[in-house]
């Protein structure tokens, strides 16, 4: 437990404290500012920091002592920036864009102005992220703006580190020493995008349920960014040392303002222990027959990996790879796939170079903010689409949290239909939603969904309202532990590959791949997509083209632009991806991604369903080759983009 003890101050009489010269500013209030912001103008106040002693195990950390000073709330004039529209995962741009004067401040103030007053004034908000370059500067800026906008307290992860799933957990689960609960969070991340002075930065706002802001809020934020003329900031508020756990308290015109720096792994581990059988997983990880490797790709997952896998579950520390968080992710690309997680791929025996070292039985990787995951067995890759289907198929018997059954399952539209087959066989409610975790969140808040996933290496459950990479790893370890509960002393363990192949034998196999064309010309990308939509008006012409390309491919029986009507709130989301559906259950999906910071990213999803269990062991590339050929030629990918090959294949 963290204990807070205020420092007893011996201060001189106020009469002998030299007055600080008044700084003259001309302030005006305008109707464009919300009432909670206007009420804070014209104030100066005394600041007192408190000594805080924090303990975690046998570690004790102490904050600085007390200082005195005057403090002002300033209204800064500004003008709008173009293009501050939050995408499915917030606003992402190059660091140099965010470093422009007023750029970050405009977006933050636009967010405060978009929220209900009671979620700002007197509220508690979380400010943290994946630790990428510019994060520490952004934390200080947002903290000073929070103080100026009447926020009561800010919770910050130590060193500004807090995974996206941990932020969601903190919003939902953490209770402050004074009984406070968070109403939302600014998450500073560009997820799986590279970091560094010339790379990407991002910011998004999560709501009181722990999930991303819905479109009704992000639309207001964007609208505000187009008209903003001023923002509030407490420029004289000193930077808080976010490397040290503890609370720094300030006295303001509307009462106290606190900055609480804490180790979020404590709260996160507590939640994980309510979901999984840690003892069962520990027996597996400490078995001499089982070997394990976890690669954080120098992202924020490294701040949790040692606490969970080594200290709690008994794995050897040598099983952790790239688990020191770095602002530039070690110069790498923190995207957990076969292209970018090169070191893990080699260690698991899937690389091009041969090695005499026997690969581990299980390997996993995380992305920059630890909400994505990749699962590997010895010389074996598990597709994310298969992963969520296998977790759902085994959850009730393997994971205590789901022992009473699943409320339902859901996947994003581009994700393969492997989960659909599981849902049908187990008689579960099933939902197909657009890409974006907020759609899952609506279902979960309504008690309609327990497990969900996206093909883009995101898997999660209703324990929070974000995808959760470490949760997915613990889910897989739970399944392996259950399959081997009576076998740890046997000759051969049930492996990752065994589990996947048994799943295929039961449910059939969805051969699946995704081609990403990153940073292509945005105009050309839109033309390509428009042409694919235009072609859908005549399926007979489409099938003629398909047969000219590959005669061994089934006919297209339906084609559309995916549209989703939310069963919870009735909202409709249009233009969510272009689909070509084949008679044998195969699919081609084309979609423009909103996760890049420049240009456009075209994603092509290619899926071939095989029911015959005797044919589920084919090489994936061979099985998909005919459909890949059709996808690239039907879309005229090279003609529109000038690319002869994708940037990434997963």
């Amino acid at each position: 437990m963290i204990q807070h003890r205020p420092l007893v101050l011996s201060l001189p009489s106020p009469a002998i404290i030299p007055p600080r010269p008044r700084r003259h500013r001309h302030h005006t209030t305008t109707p464009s500012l919300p009432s909670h912001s206007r009420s804070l103008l014209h104030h100066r106040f005394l600041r007192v920091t408190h000594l805080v002693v924090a303990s975690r195990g046998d570690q004790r950390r102490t904050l600085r002592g007390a200082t005195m000073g005057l403090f002002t709330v300033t209204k800064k004039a500004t003008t709008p920036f173009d293009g501050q529209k939050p995408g499915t995962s917030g606003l992402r741009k190059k660091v140099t864009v965010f470093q422009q004067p007023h750029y970050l401040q405009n977006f933050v103030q636009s967010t405060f102005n978009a929220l209900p007053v009671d979620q700002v004034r007197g509220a508690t908000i979380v400010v943290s992220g994946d630790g990428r370059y510019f994060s520490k500067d952004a934390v200080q800026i947002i903290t000073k703006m929070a103080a100026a906008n009447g926020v009561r307290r800010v919770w910050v992860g130590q060193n500004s580190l807090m995974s996206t799933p941990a932020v969601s957990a903190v919003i939902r689960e953490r209770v402050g020493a004074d009984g406070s609960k968070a109403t939302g969070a600014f998450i500073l991340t560009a997820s799986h995008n590279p970091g560094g002075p010339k790379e990407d930065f991002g910011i998004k706002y999560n709501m009181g349920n722990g999930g991303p802001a819905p479109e009704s809020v992000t639309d207001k934020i964007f609208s505000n960014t187009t008209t903003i003329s001023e923002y509030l900031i407490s420029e004289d508020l000193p930077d808080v040392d976010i490397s040290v756990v503890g609370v720094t308290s300030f006295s303001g015109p509307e009462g106290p303002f606190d900055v609480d720096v804490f180790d979020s792994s404590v709260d996160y581990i507590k939640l994980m222990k309510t979901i999984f059988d840690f003892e069962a997983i520990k027996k597996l990880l400490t078995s001499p027959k089982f070997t394990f490797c976890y690669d954080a790709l120098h992202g924020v997952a490294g701040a949790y990996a040692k606490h969970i896998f080594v200290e709690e579950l008994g794995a050897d520390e040598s099983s952790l790879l790239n688990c020191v968080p770095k602002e530039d992710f070690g110069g790498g690309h923190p995207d957990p796939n076969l292209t970018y997680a090169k070191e893990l791929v080699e260690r698991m025996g899937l690389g091009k170079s041969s090695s005499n070292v026997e690969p581990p039985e299980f390997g996993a990787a995380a992305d920059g903010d630890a909400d994505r995951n990749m699962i590997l067995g010895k010389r074996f890759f598990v597709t994310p689409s298969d992963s969520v289907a296998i977790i759902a198929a085994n959850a009730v018997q393997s994971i205590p949290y789901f022992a009473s059954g699943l409320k339902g399952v859901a996947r994003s539209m581009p994700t393969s239909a492997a989960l659909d087959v599981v849902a049908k066989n187990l008689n579960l409610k099933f939902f197909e939603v657009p890409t974006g975790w907020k759609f899952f969140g609506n279902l979960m808040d309504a008690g309609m969904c327990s497990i969900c996933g996206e093909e883009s290496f995101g898997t999660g459950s209703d324990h929070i309202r974000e995808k959760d990479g470490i949760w997915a790893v613990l889910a897989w370890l739970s399944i392996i532990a259950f399959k081997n509960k009576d076998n740890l002393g046997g000759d051969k363990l049930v492996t990752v590959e065994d589990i996947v192949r048994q799943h295929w034998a039961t449910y059939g196999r969805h051969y699946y791949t995704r081609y990403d064309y990153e940073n292509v010309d945005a105009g050309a990308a839109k033309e390509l997509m428009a042409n694919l939509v235009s072609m859908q008006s005549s399926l007979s012409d489409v099938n003629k083209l398909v047969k000219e390309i590959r005669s061994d491919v089934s006919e297209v029986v339906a084609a559309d632009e995916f549209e989703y009507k939310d069963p919870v709130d009735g909202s409709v989301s249009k233009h969510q991806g272009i689909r070509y559906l084949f008679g044998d259950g195969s699919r081609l999906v084309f979609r423009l991604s909103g996760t890049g910071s420049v240009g456009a990213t075209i994603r092509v999803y290619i899926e071939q369903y095989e029911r015959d269990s005797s044919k589920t062991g084919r090489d994936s590339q061979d099985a998909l080759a005919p459909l890949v050929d059709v996808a690239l030629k039907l879309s005229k990918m090279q003609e529109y983009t000038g690319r002869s090959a994708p940037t990434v294949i997963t």
Side-chain angles (χ1 to χ4, degrees):
M1 175 181 293
I2 297 177
Q3 297 179 335
H4 306 288
R5 299 190 307 181
L7 180 67
V8 178
L9 302 176
S10 178
L11 299 175
S13 166
I16 62 173
I17 298 176
R20 182 174 178 176
R22 178 177 294 275
R23 301 173 68 179
H24 297 283
R25 289 190 178 90
H26 176 66
H27 295 305
T28 59
T29 58
T30 69
S32 63
L33 278 177
S35 60
H36 69 267
S37 300
R38 293 197 302 269
S39 66
L40 296 177
L41 299 176
H42 306 293
H43 288 286
R44 306 189 315 148
F45 55 89
L46 177 69
R47 174 178 59 83
V48 181
T49 64
H50 295 273
L51 181 69
V52 177
V53 177
S55 63
R56 184 182 182 278
D58 58 357
Q59 298 177 345
R60 298 178 69 82
R61 302 182 178 93
T62 307
L63 277 183
R64 299 184 303 274
T67 59
M68 301 293 292
L70 294 173
F71 189 91
T72 58
V73 174
T74 305
K75 182 168 61 177
K76 304 281 285 188
T78 188
T79 55
F81 289 89
D82 291 334
Q84 286 196 318
K85 183 175 178 61
T88 57
S89 300
L91 179 66
R92 293 181 186 175
K93 302 288 182 182
K94 292 296 182 184
V95 166
T96 51
V97 173
F98 273 98
Q99 287 176 324
Q100 296 176 92
H102 312 306
Y103 190 90
L104 174 63
Q105 291 89 332
N106 276 20
F107 187 82
V108 172
Q109 188 66 58
S110 295
T111 302
F112 281 138
N113 293 352
L115 296 171
V117 172
D118 63 352
Q119 293 182 26
V120 181
R121 186 174 180 179
T124 298
I125 65 169
V126 183
V127 183
S128 287
D130 59 21
R132 66 180 53 236
Y133 188 86
F134 190 60
S135 292
K136 292 177 181 177
D137 293 332
V139 166
Q140 303 294 347
I141 291 169
I142 296 170
T143 298
K144 293 173 184 182
M145 292 187 68
N149 277 273
V151 171
R152 168 64 179 82
R153 61 185 69 76
V154 172
W155 291 348
V156 181
Q158 188 177 15
N159 293 313
S160 77
L161 295 174
M162 200 182 302
S163 73
T164 293
V167 171
S168 185
V170 163
I171 294 173
R172 294 173 63 84
E173 304 289 338
R174 189 174 196 252
V175 179
D178 56 359
S180 55
K181 291 271 291 180
T183 60
F186 285 100
I187 306 181
L188 310 177
T189 178
S191 188
H192 53 291
N193 294 9
K198 297 182 179 180
E199 296 296 347
D200 295 344
F201 187 77
I203 180 171
K204 70 172 184 173
Y205 195 81
N206 277 33
M207 306 299 287
N209 72 340
E215 288 183 355
S216 60
V217 175
T218 57
D219 286 347
K220 287 181 183 178
I221 294 172
F222 176 58
S223 177
N224 290 343
T225 67
T226 66
T227 60
I228 189 169
S229 61
E230 56 199 14
Y231 61 84
L232 296 181
I233 188 166
S234 301
E235 292 182 303
D236 293 342
L237 185 74
D239 288 356
V240 174
D241 185 354
I242 59 175
S243 69
V244 182
V245 168
V247 179
T248 307
S249 295
F250 304 89
S251 244
E254 297 195 2
F257 172 69
D258 297 335
V259 181
D260 183 352
V261 179
F262 67 104
D263 179 353
S264 69
S265 67
V266 176
D267 298 272
Y268 184 77
I269 292 170
K270 181 181 178 181
L271 178 60
M272 291 301 103
K273 285 184 174 181
T274 69
I275 299 171
F276 302 104
D277 183 344
F278 267 43
E279 285 304 311
I281 300 174
K282 187 171 185 177
K283 287 179 182 178
L284 176 70
L285 286 180
T286 55
S287 167
K289 293 184 178 295
F290 187 79
T291 44
F292 166 83
C293 183
Y294 184 76
D295 189 349
L297 296 178
H298 288 302
V300 72
Y304 302 83
K306 184 177 179 180
H307 294 328
I308 294 174
F309 298 120
V310 177
E311 296 175 8
E312 293 285 345
L313 296 174
D316 194 286
E317 194 163 351
S318 64
S319 62
L320 303 183
L321 192 63
N322 301 317
C323 281
V324 177
K326 295 184 178 180
E327 290 187 332
D328 65 349
F329 305 110
H333 193 145
D335 197 351
N337 58 46
L338 296 173
T339 300
Y340 294 125
K342 296 176 183 177
E343 193 170 350
L344 176 67
V345 168
E346 290 289 338
R347 184 173 290 196
M348 295 304 297
L350 288 166
K352 295 180 180 179
S353 62
S354 59
S355 173
N356 294 325
V357 178
E358 187 69 5
E361 290 292 336
F362 180 88
D367 70 332
D369 65 331
D371 63 349
R372 300 185 183 210
N373 72 95
M374 178 171 66
I375 303 297
L376 301 174
K378 183 186 296 184
R379 304 186 185 91
F380 191 84
F381 169 65
V382 183
T383 71
S385 297
D386 278 343
S387 180
V388 65
I390 290 167
I391 291 172
N394 292 277
V396 173
Q397 60 184 359
S398 304
I399 302 172
Y401 181 80
F402 301 113
S404 61
L406 302 180
K407 301 166 188 173
V409 295
R411 65 166 174 83
S412 66
M413 182 274 288
T415 303
S416 94
L419 185 61
D420 311 35
V421 181
V422 171
K424 184 178 180 179
N425 277 265
L426 300 182
N427 196 29
L428 297 170
K429 289 180 182 178
F430 169 77
F431 303 91
E432 181 182 30
V433 307
T435 298
W437 213 259
K438 57 193 172 188
F439 297 104
F440 295 130
N442 267 10
L443 297 172
M444 291 174 177
D445 285 345
M448 300 166 71
C449 178
S450 295
I451 290 175
C452 56
E454 296 180 332
E455 51 70 38
S456 54
F457 296 85
T459 324
S461 87
D462 60 354
H463 68 290
I464 56 172
R465 296 298 179 267
E466 290 278 5
K467 46 186 172 276
D468 191 343
I470 291 177
W471 174 92
V473 173
L474 292 172
W476 264 94
L477 291 173
S478 297
I479 293 168
I480 298 169
F482 178 80
K483 299 285 187 182
N484 289 284
K485 66 180 187 300
D486 301 319
N487 193 42
L488 290 178
D491 294 333
K492 185 180 183 298
L493 294 179
V494 177
T495 67
V496 170
E497 182 174 355
D498 293 336
I499 292 169
V500 175
R501 292 193 181 280
Q502 182 56 53
H503 183 87
W504 292 341
T506 303
Y507 298 102
R509 181 177 181 183
H510 292 257
Y511 289 98
Y512 187 87
T513 191
R514 188 182 90 189
Y515 280 30
D516 289 1
Y517 295 81
E518 297 177 351
N519 297 331
V520 301
D521 179 78
K526 289 179 181 178
E527 288 181 18
L528 181 150
M529 300 296 282
N531 183 57
L532 284 168
V533 172
S534 176
M535 291 170 60
Q536 292 179 345
S537 62
S538 176
L539 291 188
S540 59
D541 289 343
V542 168
N543 279 316
K544 183 179 178 181
L545 286 171
V546 168
K547 291 303 179 183
E548 288 175 356
I549 299 168
R550 292 293 298 235
S551 61
D552 53 346
V553 168
S554 178
E555 283 198 346
V556 176
V557 295
D560 64 6
E561 270 196 284
F562 181 61
E563 182 175 301
Y564 176 70
K565 183 175 182 180
D566 195 302
V568 179
D569 61 22
S571 62
V572 176
S573 299
K574 299 181 178 182
H575 310 298
Q576 294 297 311
I578 298 166
R579 303 190 297 182
Y580 284 82
L581 311 177
F582 295 78
D584 62 354
S586 301
R587 299 191 311 160
L588 295 179
V589 176
F590 301 84
R591 181 175 164 270
L592 289 181
S593 170
T595 61
S597 62
V598 294
T601 295
I602 301 172
R603 302 199 196 280
V604 186
Y605 310 86
I606 302 153
E607 176 181 355
Q608 174 78 49
Y609 181 47
E610 180 57 70
R611 297 178 181 85
D612 187 343
S613 61
S614 68
K615 297 180 181 179
T616 57
R618 296 177 63 194
D619 178 79
S620 183
Q621 289 185 339
D622 291 341
L624 290 168
L627 271 177
V628 169
D629 202 16
V630 169
L632 301 186
K633 291 179 179 176
L634 191 68
S635 64
K636 298 182 180 179
M637 185 64 69
Q638 187 165 355
E639 290 93 320
Y640 279 107
T641 68
R643 305 284 181 87
S644 60
T647 312
V648 179
I649 298 176
T650 53

